[in-house]
Structure formats: structure tokens, C-alpha cells
Amino acid sequence: MNGIINFANSLFKPLIDMGAATIMLIVLTLIAILFKVKFSKALEGGMKLAIAITAIGNIMNMLTTSFQKPMQQFVQHTGIHMDMQDMGWAPLATITWGSPYTLFYLLVLIVLNVVLLVLDKTNTLDVDIFDVWHLAFDGLFCVYVGAPLWLSTLLVLFIGTMKIINSDLMKPTFNDLLDAPEGNPMTTTHMNYMMNPIIMVFNKFFDKCLPWLDKFDFDSTKLNEKIGFWGSRFAIGVYLGVFVSLLAGNNFATEEGWKDMFTLSFVGGSCIELFSVIGSWFIASVEPLSQGIADFATKKFSGRTFNIGLDWPFLAGRSEIWAAANVLAPIMMLEAMILPGNRLMPLGGIIAMGVTPALLVVTRGKIIRMIIIGTIELPIFLWAGTMVGPFVTNMAHSVGAAIPAHTMVSDTTMEGPVEKYLAYLVGNAWKQHGMFIVYALLALAAYLLLFMWYAKEMKKRNAEYAAAAKK
Amino acid sequence: MSRQVKFIAACGAGVNSSHQIKDAVEAEMRKRGYNVKVDAYMIKDVNEDLLSKYDGYLTIAKTDLSFTPKIPLIDAGPILYRIPAMAKPVYDNVEKVVKEIN
């Protein structure tokens, strides 16, 4: 046995020592070849991923180094303990893809999708390979907290099954929101929509107790138009620089104070923009693999009509998503300041794309409900983001981001916050036993029961759509 | 060589779906012998002024706009399905626009 371990170590140790970027170059290239992707395409993807991982580490370093001192002064000056920096989704996605375990979870989820299709439990073929990182993140976090790989895999399968079932449940609502015909195959397995059950509880409350609120709905397209560039990514980066400088107590009687504020603002704006640029590189890197997997699945299921599980943005054309996000941004800022236990200063995730799409689906575009329910659920995101901060920082270090000591990073509007709590409880149940086992079991049961209730409600809604189509 | 025809694609973050469409359309049009460039944007940044700089808008699904676009809108969503037969009509529509311009 020792011989085998020594042999494996001698084989893999030099590879591991090369760092995350090199490992992923090799691993992603090999897996794409396995799915019959042409060598040059597979290698191109692998190289792009390695470059994306390297670049994101450097940009995170730039942002965190620039904001570290003003943030410390901010905390001292105000007494508000917001010492974690919000990177938004792009760096988190990239560093999650920097772990070879992400490919393991990807493989597991492909098998799950195939099994559910074969058993006729779903009609959805998930081609959104890139967003596998959401569930991989949960699995990796669960392991970080203390669970073994097999237990984290079970958790990933448990959530993954519901995610796929949810995509079938939401399909008629997508057609309604997009004004699309029955034959439209677009659906999504995105983690954003796993907030639907909780939102449905509040939506029911509005249906029963506050239906008159809907008459205050406003024209979201016009609001977005008025906000214009003031709500864009780079502008938000600039505001944060100004905001942190003000609360850090910059001396604006001196040229230095103004200079520091402008520098911080432009660093904030440029890093947020660069995160998206690198994000697109990283997506391009998994593109050959995504196509290879889609080719494989369609070949194996030839003749069958699928719903196609895409990334969430085919709904992004609905202006309510952006109107709600624009209104929720300053609300999140205020909540972050006063929320007990929150350590995250909103920055990269302040355009709340992880929050608003699910609100649109459940409320079917009732903008006032979206804003109120969004305001209520934002603390769930802020606390989840704070909870995973040490893990995210650890992962960032492991892919080579030179984040300064005592600086932590995370995301304010991370997709699937509830699942982060589940991963935390399951990990602790394994590691610490005792009451954590009870908490984890109760949480899993509550999560499942709430989803079952939500599924029943969605089936009722879908029956209404079907009846209306017959008329 | 014919003049470059410029399209815009937009999605939620301007990072994922729009880039998939950009890469696929540029590659297919190159294969068909046309000079086509696609820029990817965040959908919230799409306005009348921005669209005026392009020859066509590759949409993913129905999009709420506060104005009537003066350039052709092509539903490019099927490219994301990753099934070549479903993507072909999209490319044909793009080619039609390109031919009309050149």
C-alpha cells in the first residue's frame, strides 16, 4: 500500500507543486480530450483557464492591496467591522475552477443528469457547464468545514437533483415571461433559482395579505434608462472608493487626501471591469469542454426533445431584473452597515444579479414585490458571504492570489446562499458530531420540505398555464 | 474584402452567453467568408445610442427596450443550445443581414 502511495506521490507531487494554474491546464485539457474534443481546442481551453486563474489572482491582489489600509482606517474610524472585501462572482468562479475537484463534481453532475433523463425524472439537458462552479463551491466548502469527499458529493447530488427538477418546474413561467411559444426549449439549472422556495413564501404572503401593493408597480424600463451609466460596474467601483475614503477619515484639506480618494476610486472601478474581462476568458476556457459534453449527450439521446438548461441571462432582457437590482444596491449598502455579524463591504457583487432573477420568476415581474422581498432576503446573502469568507480567502491563496495578510475576500450576492449554510452544517456534523448532526438533519429536512411545497405551488401555476393555453 | 459588419450581443453580465454567441457567430461567418465582428455587452448597458453604432443586434430572448431599434434584431438564443441544426437558422439570418449591407 505504501508503495502505491509513494508512487502516486512521486508522480503527482511535482505536478501539484507547479500550482493551480498549471494543474488545471493539464487536467482540463485531458478531460476535454476524453470527451473527444480536438487536441488543439482542448489545449486552447486549458491555456485560457490557466491564464484566467493567474490574471484573476493578480487583479485580486491589486484590489485588496489598495483597499487594505483605507478599510482598516474605515473600521477604526467608524467602529463598523466590515473588513471583508466583496469581489463579486467572477473571481470566485475562477478560483473555484482552479480546483481539480470542480471537475470531479462536474462529472458527478453529468452522471446525475443522464440518470434523471434515462429514468424520465427530467426533460432538461443541462448544457451550462460553466455554472457547475456554484455546486462545486458548496462541495468544496463542505470539505473545508470538515466533511469527507463522499459526504460532500452526496450533498452536491441532493441539491443538484432539486436544481434539475426546478428547471422543469420553471419552464412554463419562462415561456410566459419571454412571451415564447410552447416549443421554446430554454430553461435554466442556475443556482440563482434555488432561492425560489423562500421567495415563494413571501410571495404567498403578498398574495394573501398585501395584494394592493401591486398597483404601485412602475415602469422599470424607464427607471433603468434614467439611471444610465450611473448604475454601471465601473461607476459603482468609483462610488465605493469615494465612500470608503470618506468614512476612513481622509483629510480632504490636503491634496494627499483627495489624491488617495481618486486613486482608490479608479482602482475600484478598473478592478470590477477587469474581473468581467477575465470572467469571459474563463468562460471561453471551458467552452470546448461544454461543447464536447453537449455533443456527447445529444448523441446518446438522439431523437428525444429536451429542455435546454442554460445560464440565467436569457431572462436578462426583462427590465425588472435591472430596476430591482438598481434599487437594491443602495439598500444593500445600508443593510451591510447595520447588519449584525456582517463583515462584507459591498463592491463587486453590489449589482445584485445573484438575487433578482429568482425574484422575477416567482413574482412574475411585480416590481414592488421584487424590491421588498429582495430587501428582506439580502441579509441571507450577506451572512452567507461572511461565513464563507475564510474559505474563499484560503482558496484564493491556493490559486496564487497574493492577498495581503489579515485581508479576507468573499462575495455579497453569491448564488445559492442557503446551500452554503447546508454545506456548513453537514461539514460540522461530520467533524464535530453532537448537536450539529441534529441541526444538519433538521436543515436538510426543512430545505427538502420547503422545496416540495414550492414544487406543488409551481405545478398549480403550470396547470393554470396549460388550461389558459387550451382556451 | 467586403466591409466589416458589426453586431452586438448582450447578456446578464456581458460575460457568458453573449461571449458564446460572439465566438460562435464570428467563427461561422469567417467560415462562410464574411468579415463579421461581434461585441459583447451587459444587457443593462444597451441603449439607443449604443445600438446606433452596430449593424445588427443578436438577442438571446425577448428584450425590453424603451425604444424601437433601427437595426435588425436576430434571435441568437438557439446558438446556446449547442445543437448545430438549431444554430444554423441563426447563422443564416446573420448572413442575410451581412449580404444586404455589403
Side-chain angles (χ1 to χ4, degrees):
Chain A
M1 190 65 188
N2 277 345
I4 295 170
I5 292 169
N6 288 340
F7 175 71
N9 277 343
S10 64
L11 203 65
F12 292 114
K13 180 98 179 19
L15 184 64
I16 291 164
D17 289 345
M18 298 251 191
T22 314
I23 294 171
M24 288 310 291
L25 161 69
I26 295 166
V27 174
L28 188 75
T29 306
L30 288 178
I31 297 212
I33 290 168
L34 202 70
F35 278 96
K36 301 198 171 153
V37 175
K38 234 168 68 182
F39 173 72
S40 60
K41 280 269 159 209
L43 182 65
E44 185 185 349
M47 282 170 87
K48 279 186 173 170
L49 182 58
I51 290 166
I53 291 169
T54 308
I56 214 87
N58 287 327
I59 303 169
M60 282 171 81
N61 176 27
M62 181 162 84
L63 185 74
T64 48
T65 305
S66 303
F67 270 78
Q68 190 196 23
K69 199 171 152 220
M71 288 294 279
Q72 281 168 354
Q73 287 169 345
F74 172 95
V75 172
Q76 281 165 7
H77 206 244
T78 60
I80 300 168
H81 198 59
M82 290 205 296
D83 58 344
M84 276 187 195
Q85 295 187 28
D86 173 18
M87 297 280 148
W89 66 268
L92 263 66
T94 313
I95 58 178
T96 306
W97 272 101
S99 164
Y101 284 111
T102 297
L103 288 166
F104 163 73
Y105 293 120
L106 166 67
L107 197 66
V108 165
L109 289 166
I110 291 170
V111 172
L112 173 72
N113 194 183
V114 169
V115 169
L116 291 174
L117 281 167
V118 169
L119 296 177
D120 237 353
K121 298 289 178 200
T122 184
N123 265 326
T124 299
L125 173 65
D126 187 5
V127 301
D128 184 18
I129 302 306
F130 144 65
D131 281 322
V132 156
W133 79 269
H134 298 134
L135 261 179
F137 184 99
D138 293 340
L140 288 165
F141 179 54
C142 191
V143 170
Y144 173 81
V145 175
L149 187 62
W150 67 264
L151 187 57
S152 77
T153 308
L154 283 183
L155 181 69
V156 164
L157 286 170
F158 174 68
I159 301 167
T161 305
M162 276 182 267
K163 226 162 58 93
I164 288 179
I165 290 171
N166 192 27
S167 63
D168 291 321
L169 293 170
M170 291 187 292
K171 182 74 188 57
T173 305
F174 290 141
N175 285 354
D176 175 30
L177 292 170
L178 297 170
D179 202 11
E182 174 65 28
N184 162 46
M186 283 185 180
T187 189
T188 173
T189 53
H190 201 279
M191 192 70 132
N192 274 344
Y193 301 100
M194 290 308 283
M195 279 302 280
N196 287 10
I198 290 177
I199 297 169
M200 183 70 95
V201 174
F202 291 108
N203 197 51
K204 270 275 156 202
F205 174 77
F206 280 102
D207 280 345
K208 301 272 181 221
C209 305
L210 303 166
W212 49 268
L213 255 181
D214 299 337
K215 69 174 180 234
F216 295 105
D217 279 352
F218 52 85
D219 188 334
S220 47
T221 313
K222 280 191 184 143
L223 175 75
N224 294 339
E225 201 181 52
K226 275 191 187 138
I227 288 169
F229 92 90
W230 299 99
S232 60
R233 277 191 294 247
F234 66 88
I236 282 167
V238 171
Y239 305 152
L240 258 295
V242 173
F243 180 74
V244 170
S245 300
L246 283 174
L247 292 183
N250 277 22
N251 183 359
F252 289 103
T254 63
E255 194 188 318
E256 197 66 17
W258 286 96
K259 190 184 158 206
D260 286 350
M261 183 196 78
F262 281 122
T263 306
L264 200 62
S265 299
F266 299 144
V267 168
S270 54
C271 286
I272 300 287
E273 285 293 336
L274 284 171
F275 282 149
S276 314
V277 175
I278 304 304
S280 68
W281 260 79
F282 141 67
I283 286 148
S285 73
V286 289
E287 184 60 29
L289 176 62
S290 304
Q291 188 62 55
I293 290 169
D295 290 346
F296 169 82
T298 42
K299 203 170 140 193
K300 295 284 168 204
F301 290 94
S302 58
R304 185 156 165 194
T305 311
F306 295 121
N307 295 330
I308 311 282
L310 305 173
D311 193 6
W312 74 268
F314 62 86
L315 275 186
R318 289 287 301 222
S319 56
E320 296 91 341
I321 286 184
W322 303 108
N326 283 327
V327 176
L328 286 172
I331 293 174
M332 171 154 60
M333 201 70 198
L334 284 173
E335 287 189 359
M337 301 275 286
I338 57 169
L339 191 69
N342 172 53
R343 291 171 62 185
L344 262 166
M345 161 69 90
L347 178 63
I350 199 166
I351 305 172
M353 285 185 304
V355 182
T356 51
L359 291 166
L360 176 83
V361 168
V362 178
T363 67
R364 288 183 273 192
K366 294 189 177 82
I367 188 79
I368 297 288
R369 292 189 191 204
M370 287 175 72
I371 291 167
I372 295 174
I373 302 173
T375 304
I376 297 167
E377 66 173 358
L378 274 173
I380 302 174
F381 284 84
L382 289 167
W383 280 322
T386 300
M387 181 180 68
V388 299
F391 165 63
V392 175
T393 309
N394 188 286
M395 268 208 306
H397 282 298
S398 72
V399 300
I403 295 169
H406 312 299
T407 297
M408 291 231 241
V409 293
S410 190
D411 180 10
T412 42
T413 51
M414 198 181 311
E415 296 80 358
V418 175
E419 291 72 16
K420 310 290 173 284
Y421 300 116
L422 289 181
Y424 175 81
L425 290 173
V426 170
N428 270 305
W430 180 269
K431 193 179 169 192
Q432 306 204 36
H433 307 293
M435 284 308 285
F436 268 111
I437 296 175
V438 180
Y439 298 148
L441 289 173
L442 284 175
L444 289 167
Y447 185 79
L448 180 64
L449 288 173
L450 188 61
F451 186 83
M452 285 165 70
W453 169 78
Y454 156 77
K456 211 171 115 197
E457 289 297 316
M458 288 300 275
K459 280 176 188 162
K460 264 194 246 170
R461 179 192 282 194
N462 294 343
E464 284 164 21
Y465 280 133
K470 272 186 195 158
K471 277 181 191 168
Chain B
M1 196 171 179
S2 54
R3 102 153 162 89
Q4 187 179 65
V5 182
K6 284 175 77 180
F7 287 85
I8 179 171
C11 67
V15 172
N16 188 8
S17 304
S18 55
H19 271 268
Q20 288 181 30
I21 290 170
K22 170 190 160 67
D23 292 344
V25 167
E26 284 182 348
E28 179 64 24
M29 289 303 116
R30 206 164 32 239
K31 217 187 285 171
R32 295 187 186 195
Y34 301 108
N35 181 12
V36 167
K37 185 171 185 293
V38 182
D39 288 337
Y41 273 86
M42 209 170 163
I43 213 161
K44 75 196 280 280
D45 294 338
V46 173
N47 55 40
E48 201 164 6
D49 184 41
L50 183 69
L51 286 193
S52 69
K53 294 174 188 138
Y54 290 91
D55 301 304
Y57 180 14
L58 303 166
T59 60
I60 296 176
K62 191 189 159 207
T63 305
D64 292 341
L65 295 168
S66 60
F67 55 92
T68 311
K70 296 185 182 76
I71 56 171
L73 263 55
I74 297 170
D75 177 11
I79 288 174
L80 303 174
Y81 307 160
R82 299 181 183 283
I83 298 167
M86 296 180 92
K88 190 179 171 296
V90 181
Y91 300 134
D92 292 345
N93 284 335
V94 173
E95 186 175 5
K96 216 167 100 187
V97 171
V98 175
K99 273 183 176 165
E100 276 167 16
I101 285 167
N102 280 311

Short mmCIF file of all heavy atoms in Angstrom, two decimals, chain A residues 429-458:
data_model
loop_
_atom_site.label_atom_id
_atom_site.label_comp_id
_atom_site.label_asym_id
_atom_site.label_seq_id
_atom_site.Cartn_x
_atom_site.Cartn_y
_atom_site.Cartn_z
N ALA A 429 -21.37 18.61 11.07
CA ALA A 429 -22.00 17.40 11.62
C ALA A 429 -21.00 16.25 11.58
O ALA A 429 -20.92 15.44 12.51
CB ALA A 429 -23.25 17.05 10.81
N TRP A 430 -20.22 16.18 10.50
CA TRP A 430 -19.22 15.11 10.38
C TRP A 430 -18.05 15.34 11.34
O TRP A 430 -17.58 14.41 12.00
CB TRP A 430 -18.70 15.02 8.95
CG TRP A 430 -17.69 13.94 8.78
CD1 TRP A 430 -16.33 14.05 8.91
CD2 TRP A 430 -17.94 12.56 8.51
NE1 TRP A 430 -15.73 12.84 8.72
CE2 TRP A 430 -16.69 11.90 8.47
CE3 TRP A 430 -19.11 11.82 8.29
CZ2 TRP A 430 -16.59 10.55 8.21
CZ3 TRP A 430 -18.98 10.46 8.02
CH2 TRP A 430 -17.73 9.84 8.00
N LYS A 431 -17.63 16.58 11.42
CA LYS A 431 -16.41 16.89 12.17
C LYS A 431 -16.66 16.97 13.68
O LYS A 431 -15.90 16.44 14.48
CB LYS A 431 -15.85 18.22 11.68
CG LYS A 431 -14.43 18.50 12.14
CD LYS A 431 -13.97 19.83 11.59
CE LYS A 431 -12.67 20.26 12.23
NZ LYS A 431 -12.39 21.66 11.92
N GLN A 432 -17.76 17.62 14.04
CA GLN A 432 -17.95 17.89 15.48
C GLN A 432 -19.01 17.02 16.14
O GLN A 432 -19.17 17.07 17.36
CB GLN A 432 -18.34 19.36 15.67
CG GLN A 432 -17.35 20.30 15.03
CD GLN A 432 -17.38 21.66 15.67
OE1 GLN A 432 -17.58 21.77 16.86
NE2 GLN A 432 -17.19 22.70 14.88
N HIS A 433 -19.76 16.29 15.33
CA HIS A 433 -20.86 15.44 15.84
C HIS A 433 -21.82 16.26 16.73
O HIS A 433 -22.00 17.42 16.49
CB HIS A 433 -20.31 14.23 16.61
CG HIS A 433 -19.31 13.45 15.82
ND1 HIS A 433 -19.66 12.76 14.68
CD2 HIS A 433 -17.98 13.28 15.98
CE1 HIS A 433 -18.56 12.16 14.19
NE2 HIS A 433 -17.54 12.47 14.96
N GLY A 434 -22.34 15.64 17.75
CA GLY A 434 -23.22 16.30 18.72
C GLY A 434 -24.42 16.95 18.06
O GLY A 434 -25.01 16.40 17.13
N MET A 435 -24.75 18.14 18.55
CA MET A 435 -25.96 18.82 18.09
C MET A 435 -25.89 19.21 16.60
O MET A 435 -26.92 19.40 15.97
CB MET A 435 -26.21 20.08 18.93
CG MET A 435 -26.76 19.79 20.31
SD MET A 435 -28.22 18.72 20.30
CE MET A 435 -29.49 19.84 19.73
N PHE A 436 -24.66 19.30 16.07
CA PHE A 436 -24.55 19.65 14.66
C PHE A 436 -25.25 18.62 13.76
O PHE A 436 -25.78 18.96 12.70
CB PHE A 436 -23.09 19.82 14.23
CG PHE A 436 -22.60 21.23 14.36
CD1 PHE A 436 -21.66 21.58 15.32
CD2 PHE A 436 -23.10 22.23 13.54
CE1 PHE A 436 -21.23 22.89 15.45
CE2 PHE A 436 -22.67 23.54 13.65
CZ PHE A 436 -21.73 23.87 14.61
N ILE A 437 -25.22 17.35 14.20
CA ILE A 437 -25.90 16.30 13.43
C ILE A 437 -27.39 16.60 13.39
O ILE A 437 -28.04 16.53 12.33
CB ILE A 437 -25.62 14.90 14.03
CG1 ILE A 437 -24.13 14.59 13.93
CG2 ILE A 437 -26.45 13.83 13.32
CD1 ILE A 437 -23.71 13.30 14.59
N VAL A 438 -27.93 16.99 14.54
CA VAL A 438 -29.36 17.31 14.62
C VAL A 438 -29.67 18.53 13.75
O VAL A 438 -30.61 18.54 12.94
CB VAL A 438 -29.78 17.59 16.09
CG1 VAL A 438 -31.26 17.93 16.18
CG2 VAL A 438 -29.45 16.38 16.97
N TYR A 439 -28.83 19.57 13.89
CA TYR A 439 -29.06 20.80 13.10
C TYR A 439 -29.01 20.49 11.60
O TYR A 439 -29.84 20.98 10.83
CB TYR A 439 -28.01 21.87 13.40
CG TYR A 439 -27.97 22.36 14.83
CD1 TYR A 439 -26.77 22.76 15.43
CD2 TYR A 439 -29.14 22.44 15.60
CE1 TYR A 439 -26.72 23.21 16.74
CE2 TYR A 439 -29.10 22.89 16.92
CZ TYR A 439 -27.89 23.26 17.48
OH TYR A 439 -27.85 23.70 18.78
N ALA A 440 -28.02 19.70 11.21
CA ALA A 440 -27.86 19.40 9.78
C ALA A 440 -29.07 18.63 9.26
O ALA A 440 -29.61 18.96 8.19
CB ALA A 440 -26.58 18.59 9.55
N LEU A 441 -29.51 17.63 10.03
CA LEU A 441 -30.66 16.83 9.59
C LEU A 441 -31.92 17.69 9.51
O LEU A 441 -32.69 17.59 8.54
CB LEU A 441 -30.88 15.64 10.53
CG LEU A 441 -29.82 14.53 10.41
CD1 LEU A 441 -30.03 13.48 11.50
CD2 LEU A 441 -29.83 13.88 9.02
N LEU A 442 -32.10 18.55 10.52
CA LEU A 442 -33.28 19.43 10.52
C LEU A 442 -33.22 20.38 9.32
O LEU A 442 -34.24 20.61 8.64
CB LEU A 442 -33.35 20.23 11.82
CG LEU A 442 -33.83 19.48 13.06
CD1 LEU A 442 -33.74 20.38 14.30
CD2 LEU A 442 -35.27 18.99 12.88
N ALA A 443 -32.04 20.94 9.07
CA ALA A 443 -31.90 21.90 7.97
C ALA A 443 -32.16 21.21 6.63
O ALA A 443 -32.86 21.77 5.77
CB ALA A 443 -30.50 22.51 7.99
N LEU A 444 -31.62 20.02 6.46
CA LEU A 444 -31.83 19.29 5.19
C LEU A 444 -33.31 18.96 5.01
O LEU A 444 -33.86 19.08 3.90
CB LEU A 444 -30.98 18.01 5.16
CG LEU A 444 -29.47 18.22 5.01
CD1 LEU A 444 -28.71 16.93 5.30
CD2 LEU A 444 -29.12 18.72 3.60
N ALA A 445 -33.95 18.54 6.12
CA ALA A 445 -35.38 18.20 6.04
C ALA A 445 -36.20 19.45 5.71
O ALA A 445 -37.09 19.41 4.84
CB ALA A 445 -35.84 17.60 7.37
N ALA A 446 -35.87 20.57 6.36
CA ALA A 446 -36.61 21.82 6.10
C ALA A 446 -36.43 22.25 4.64
O ALA A 446 -37.37 22.67 3.98
CB ALA A 446 -36.13 22.91 7.04
N TYR A 447 -35.20 22.13 4.17
CA TYR A 447 -34.87 22.52 2.78
C TYR A 447 -35.68 21.68 1.80
O TYR A 447 -36.27 22.19 0.85
CB TYR A 447 -33.37 22.29 2.59
CG TYR A 447 -32.80 22.74 1.26
CD1 TYR A 447 -32.51 24.07 1.01
CD2 TYR A 447 -32.51 21.81 0.26
CE1 TYR A 447 -31.97 24.48 -0.19
CE2 TYR A 447 -31.97 22.20 -0.95
CZ TYR A 447 -31.69 23.54 -1.17
OH TYR A 447 -31.15 23.93 -2.37
N LEU A 448 -35.74 20.38 2.07
CA LEU A 448 -36.47 19.46 1.18
C LEU A 448 -37.98 19.72 1.23
O LEU A 448 -38.64 19.79 0.19
CB LEU A 448 -36.16 18.01 1.57
CG LEU A 448 -36.85 16.93 0.75
CD1 LEU A 448 -36.40 16.98 -0.71
CD2 LEU A 448 -36.56 15.53 1.31
N LEU A 449 -38.49 19.88 2.45
CA LEU A 449 -39.95 20.10 2.59
C LEU A 449 -40.38 21.41 1.95
O LEU A 449 -41.42 21.47 1.28
CB LEU A 449 -40.34 20.08 4.08
CG LEU A 449 -40.31 18.71 4.73
CD1 LEU A 449 -40.54 18.82 6.24
CD2 LEU A 449 -41.37 17.78 4.12
N LEU A 450 -39.57 22.44 2.14
CA LEU A 450 -39.90 23.73 1.53
C LEU A 450 -39.89 23.61 0.01
O LEU A 450 -40.76 24.16 -0.68
CB LEU A 450 -38.88 24.80 1.99
CG LEU A 450 -39.19 26.24 1.59
CD1 LEU A 450 -40.52 26.70 2.18
CD2 LEU A 450 -38.08 27.19 2.02
N PHE A 451 -38.91 22.87 -0.50
CA PHE A 451 -38.84 22.67 -1.96
C PHE A 451 -40.07 21.90 -2.44
O PHE A 451 -40.64 22.21 -3.50
CB PHE A 451 -37.56 21.93 -2.34
CG PHE A 451 -37.38 21.82 -3.83
CD1 PHE A 451 -36.82 22.87 -4.55
CD2 PHE A 451 -37.81 20.69 -4.53
CE1 PHE A 451 -36.68 22.80 -5.93
CE2 PHE A 451 -37.67 20.61 -5.90
CZ PHE A 451 -37.09 21.66 -6.60
N MET A 452 -40.50 20.89 -1.67
CA MET A 452 -41.67 20.09 -2.08
C MET A 452 -42.93 20.96 -2.12
O MET A 452 -43.77 20.84 -3.02
CB MET A 452 -41.84 18.89 -1.14
CG MET A 452 -40.80 17.80 -1.42
SD MET A 452 -40.66 16.58 -0.12
CE MET A 452 -42.17 15.72 -0.27
N TRP A 453 -43.07 21.84 -1.12
CA TRP A 453 -44.22 22.75 -1.11
C TRP A 453 -44.16 23.69 -2.32
O TRP A 453 -45.15 23.91 -3.00
CB TRP A 453 -44.22 23.57 0.20
CG TRP A 453 -45.20 24.70 0.17
CD1 TRP A 453 -46.55 24.62 0.34
CD2 TRP A 453 -44.91 26.09 -0.09
NE1 TRP A 453 -47.12 25.88 0.22
CE2 TRP A 453 -46.14 26.80 -0.04
CE3 TRP A 453 -43.74 26.81 -0.34
CZ2 TRP A 453 -46.23 28.17 -0.25
CZ3 TRP A 453 -43.82 28.17 -0.54
CH2 TRP A 453 -45.05 28.85 -0.50
N TYR A 454 -42.95 24.20 -2.57
CA TYR A 454 -42.75 25.11 -3.71
C TYR A 454 -43.10 24.38 -5.03
O TYR A 454 -43.76 24.94 -5.91
CB TYR A 454 -41.29 25.59 -3.70
CG TYR A 454 -40.75 26.04 -5.03
CD1 TYR A 454 -41.08 27.29 -5.55
CD2 TYR A 454 -39.89 25.22 -5.77
CE1 TYR A 454 -40.57 27.70 -6.77
CE2 TYR A 454 -39.38 25.62 -6.98
CZ TYR A 454 -39.72 26.87 -7.48
OH TYR A 454 -39.22 27.27 -8.70
N ALA A 455 -42.66 23.12 -5.13
CA ALA A 455 -42.93 22.33 -6.34
C ALA A 455 -44.44 22.19 -6.55
O ALA A 455 -44.94 22.30 -7.68
CB ALA A 455 -42.26 20.95 -6.24
N LYS A 456 -45.15 21.97 -5.45
CA LYS A 456 -46.61 21.84 -5.54
C LYS A 456 -47.24 23.15 -6.05
O LYS A 456 -48.11 23.14 -6.92
CB LYS A 456 -47.17 21.49 -4.14
CG LYS A 456 -48.42 20.65 -4.17
CD LYS A 456 -48.78 20.17 -2.78
CE LYS A 456 -50.10 20.78 -2.38
NZ LYS A 456 -50.38 20.74 -0.97
N GLU A 457 -46.75 24.25 -5.51
CA GLU A 457 -47.27 25.57 -5.94
C GLU A 457 -46.97 25.81 -7.42
O GLU A 457 -47.80 26.34 -8.15
CB GLU A 457 -46.62 26.69 -5.10
CG GLU A 457 -47.08 26.74 -3.67
CD GLU A 457 -48.58 27.04 -3.55
OE1 GLU A 457 -49.06 27.92 -4.26
OE2 GLU A 457 -49.26 26.36 -2.75
N MET A 458 -45.77 25.45 -7.83
CA MET A 458 -45.39 25.66 -9.24
C MET A 458 -46.21 24.76 -10.16
O MET A 458 -46.57 25.16 -11.27
CB MET A 458 -43.88 25.39 -9.44
CG MET A 458 -42.99 26.45 -8.85
SD MET A 458 -43.24 28.10 -9.54
CE MET A 458 -42.20 28.05 -11.00
#
